[in-house]
Amino acid sequence: MSETTKTGPADLDRVDVLVIGAGVTGIYQLYRARESGFTVRLLEAGGGVGGTWYWNRYPEARFDSESYTYGYLFSKELWEEWEWSEHFAGQPEIERYFNHVVDRFDLRRHIVFDAKVTSAVWDGTSGTWTVRTEDGAEHRARHVVAATGILSVPFVPEIPGRDAFRGEQHHTGRWPRTPVDFTGKRVAQIGTGSSGVQIVPAIADEVAGLTVYQKVADWLTPLNNRPITPEEQAALKADYASVRDTLNTSPSGFLHRITMRSGLEDTPEQRQEFYEQKWNGPGFTKLSEHYYDMTTNATVNDEWCAFIADKIRSLVEDPATAEKLIPKGHGYGGRRPPFGTGYYEAYNKPTVSLVDLNETPIVRITGTGIETSEGHEEFDIIIWATGYDFGTGALNRLGLRGRRGLPLEEYWADGPSTYLGVTTAGFPNLYFPGGPHGALGNNPRYSGDQVDYVMDLLVHARDHGHDVVEVTAAAEQEWTDLVNDSAGQSSFLKSSYFYGANIPGKPVKQLLNPTGRWKLQELIRESVVADFPAFAFSKAENPQA
């Protein structure tokens, strides 16, 4: 059966649980619901599984979380039979992994592909949701789990003339399945976040010219990827139980070890040696294994940033370009740090140039290229590496209508209100693990905590004969206040996309959970032990309607 064929149940009768989204969270939710004895169906807008890793297939798209920490932990057999080839796997391998999982556990028959949800309406009489998709199909479910992710709605800035461009245009989050041919092409890339820094070195040797338009420089450090050796493969398999337990309790969701000392406990010379170790370490260890006070101690943060700045100057031959690549106005951890391979070095190639949009803003897109304040340049391809409507973007576009027809996007007009980042008042039997207010760190780990919590809640409701489950407004307010009042515990600036600041007109509100995973897990445990006191349970007026 072709992956892109529209597949799934021909019978669209009501199910107990309807999952939206076949990414890392949705697949796990599907598996848990089925294993718990619920009838279940999953609707996926795309033609295959993987979520972010289905849509993001641009050149050199890859993890910046270690592969084995991102994958599933629910099956020892899966852990032992799947071998990741690299510490930070690339998109093709990641997509193969998710396809292996859905086939290994016979989940594909529960999935409907090419089924983009356009509306989901609550019916209080029957205590069910009616969900419609773009093709006109209608699905009914007792419970809806919107596992739509936090990085699933691409953002493209409203630049005059964008639709007039006659060449190719691609957003990194909606990359075509047919590879884009960059050979001998004049390419513009707008944006230099986590996706943009992966693309630049990947295509630099193919293009006739690549002009990169940068709005904000970030503190990029090396990913330091490499193959997983046979010895490491054997150790990972042998240590399954230990790795699982560590990842299930780690505050960051990684295997990284926190450095339990202040930077000021070391001498300046020792700190420089430590910074060199971090620079040469893998991925997020620059943040998670740094001095514990790196993000809060200005002396240590400034020194670490100065170390990175010196590295940039040593790697980039043109001094003016190097200075543009050095961030101004924020320290390390103020924004989500990207990790790359050969990014700085790419600017030493004669075909690659950098435009600072703060100095040289874009005026308009033309039919043949881009006009800035300094003139016009012609291009064949424009890459939009401009990020996403983070946190609430996908949920606010599902057409969710709760009690009395209340639109979710209206209820959240001033920012999201949630309980444990899982549900919201006024929308019974609706859950969104992996959505806003979840946690910080490795996404599959904290979203997995939330999926497990949703399943505990649904099993409790079923076993006690409850049709309708709804969080109380008081519990929602308490959690939302905690999240908003704890913003000082996070190093991220309000100008970052973690507050929605990259989307014009979007309220600048906390979209993460700065209290961290430990607090989330603590409250989840307390809720389960106390039989979910934050929820009101009831029977539907006519549950068979």
Side-chain angles (χ1 to χ4, degrees):
M1 181 182 298
S2 169
E3 181 192 38
T4 57
T5 301
K6 184 164 183 176
T7 62
D11 180 0
L12 299 183
D13 287 344
R14 189 169 78 186
V15 293
D16 298 324
V17 179
L18 184 72
V19 183
I20 303 173
V24 62
T25 305
I27 292 171
Y28 183 49
Q29 180 69 70
L30 171 61
Y31 171 81
R32 285 296 322 275
R34 189 196 64 181
E35 294 301 291
S36 298
F38 292 98
T39 57
V40 61
R41 182 178 306 133
L42 187 151
L43 304 180
E44 166 55 44
V49 299
T52 292
W53 302 107
Y54 172 83
W55 297 106
N56 287 256
R57 52 182 70 245
Y58 55 84
E60 269 304 298
R62 66 177 57 249
F63 284 147
D64 55 15
S65 300
E66 285 85 355
S67 307
Y68 37 87
T69 70
Y70 196 97
Y72 296 112
L73 304 173
F74 62 79
S75 166
K76 182 179 181 182
E77 292 74 22
L78 173 63
W79 178 268
E80 292 178 339
E81 70 192 16
W82 182 269
E83 288 194 353
W84 294 101
S85 66
E86 298 176 282
H87 283 273
F88 301 95
Q91 185 275 334
E93 184 175 6
I94 301 166
E95 188 179 13
R96 286 196 301 272
Y97 173 76
F98 286 117
N99 276 285
H100 173 75
V101 170
V102 298
D103 292 330
R104 169 72 169 74
F105 295 97
D106 193 26
L107 300 174
R108 194 177 296 272
R109 63 193 176 94
H110 299 289
I111 303 174
V112 184
F113 293 109
D114 300 312
K116 181 178 181 180
V117 171
T118 55
S119 72
V121 180
W122 171 252
D123 175 45
T125 301
S126 62
T128 61
W129 286 90
T130 298
V131 179
R132 294 180 175 84
T133 53
E134 201 169 51
D135 61 359
E138 184 176 292
H139 307 258
R140 294 186 67 205
R142 175 69 67 204
H143 302 276
V144 168
V145 182
T148 48
I150 49 179
L151 293 169
S152 51
V153 176
F155 168 67
V156 178
E158 288 294 331
I159 298 176
R162 181 164 53 88
D163 294 336
F165 183 65
R166 295 193 292 273
E168 295 181 53
Q169 298 188 65
H170 306 291
H171 190 284
T172 54
R174 287 295 182 271
W175 204 261
R177 299 200 58 162
T178 303
V180 177
D181 183 8
F182 290 101
T183 306
K185 300 293 178 62
R186 301 164 300 176
V187 180
Q189 178 178 300
I190 302 173
T192 55
S194 296
S195 300
V197 301
Q198 292 180 331
I199 296 177
V200 170
I203 67 173
D205 290 329
E206 299 178 40
V207 300
L210 171 60
T211 302
V212 181
Y213 294 86
Q214 172 188 275
K215 180 73 174 294
V216 180
D218 283 307
W219 293 108
L220 177 140
T221 53
L223 181 63
N224 293 322
N225 187 29
R226 61 180 176 81
I228 300 175
T229 66
E231 293 76 19
E232 289 170 330
Q233 297 281 13
L236 283 168
K237 291 180 181 180
D239 294 342
Y240 165 72
S242 174
V243 170
R244 178 198 61 200
D245 293 346
T246 299
L247 291 175
N248 281 339
T249 55
S250 160
S252 65
F254 293 116
L255 294 175
H256 307 159
R257 296 179 181 274
I258 301 171
T259 301
M260 294 306 297
R261 72 178 186 276
S262 165
L264 299 184
E265 294 180 41
D266 285 351
T267 66
E269 293 76 19
Q270 288 172 327
R271 290 200 296 273
Q272 289 300 311
E273 292 178 6
F274 182 83
Y275 299 150
E276 189 69 39
Q277 292 173 4
K278 293 302 103 183
W279 176 267
N280 291 308
F284 271 103
T285 58
K286 282 94 165 175
L287 191 63
S288 61
E289 290 191 350
H290 217 289
Y291 294 120
Y292 76 80
D293 60 348
M294 185 271 290
T295 60
T296 58
N297 186 309
T299 298
V300 178
N301 195 283
D302 289 349
E303 202 173 70
W304 169 235
C305 290
F307 176 91
I308 299 174
D310 285 343
K311 287 288 189 181
I312 296 171
R313 294 185 184 104
S314 72
L315 293 169
V316 180
E317 295 170 359
D318 176 52
T321 300
E323 291 308 310
K324 290 178 183 178
L325 290 166
I326 296 171
K328 310 295 190 297
H330 70 275
Y332 194 88
R335 290 162 55 87
R336 199 272 198 194
F339 305 96
T341 301
Y343 177 69
Y344 295 127
E345 296 88 335
Y347 289 99
N348 297 330
K349 299 179 185 293
T351 53
V352 181
S353 60
L354 181 68
V355 175
D356 184 340
L357 290 173
N358 299 293
E359 300 173 356
T360 312
I362 293 175
V363 176
R364 64 178 60 85
I365 309 292
T366 70
T368 58
I370 296 177
E371 180 183 341
T372 69
S373 60
E374 291 189 355
H376 184 270
E377 187 172 356
E378 294 194 344
F379 296 106
D380 303 302
I381 301 172
I382 297 177
I383 298 171
W384 297 92
T386 46
Y388 301 86
D389 187 349
F390 180 84
T392 57
L395 292 168
N396 279 339
R397 288 168 171 81
L398 289 178
L400 287 159
R401 300 295 180 263
R403 290 194 184 277
R404 296 173 293 281
L406 176 64
L408 181 68
E409 64 271 23
E410 181 179 310
Y411 185 52
W412 284 1
D414 294 325
S417 298
T418 78
Y419 175 66
L420 302 185
V422 166
T423 189
T424 190
F427 293 79
N429 296 12
L430 172 70
Y431 320 92
F432 38 87
H437 295 173
L440 294 166
N442 194 6
N443 181 284
R445 304 283 66 89
Y446 74 76
S447 69
D449 297 339
Q450 293 174 310
V451 167
D452 292 338
Y453 180 60
V454 169
M455 290 316 306
D456 288 341
L457 178 62
L458 297 194
V459 168
H460 174 87
R462 180 185 63 189
D463 292 351
H464 289 80
H466 303 306
D467 301 316
V468 180
V469 180
E470 184 176 2
V471 71
T472 65
E476 175 190 79
Q477 190 64 54
E478 183 178 1
W479 171 255
T480 302
D481 287 346
L482 177 65
V483 165
N484 290 331
D485 293 345
S486 301
Q489 297 183 32
S490 169
S491 64
F492 295 121
L493 302 174
K494 288 188 176 181
S495 58
S496 76
Y497 68 75
F498 291 133
Y499 285 83
N502 62 315
I503 307 297
K506 186 171 182 174
V508 178
K509 290 294 179 70
Q510 178 63 257
L511 298 173
L512 293 172
N513 162 25
T515 67
R517 189 185 185 197
W518 279 350
K519 186 63 175 180
L520 178 68
Q521 289 182 328
E522 174 191 342
L523 294 178
I524 283 175
R525 286 192 296 269
E526 292 176 357
S527 177
V528 173
V529 168
D531 288 339
F532 309 96
F535 291 88
F537 298 92
S538 62
K539 291 285 291 183
E541 180 182 328
N542 185 2
Q544 303 305 317

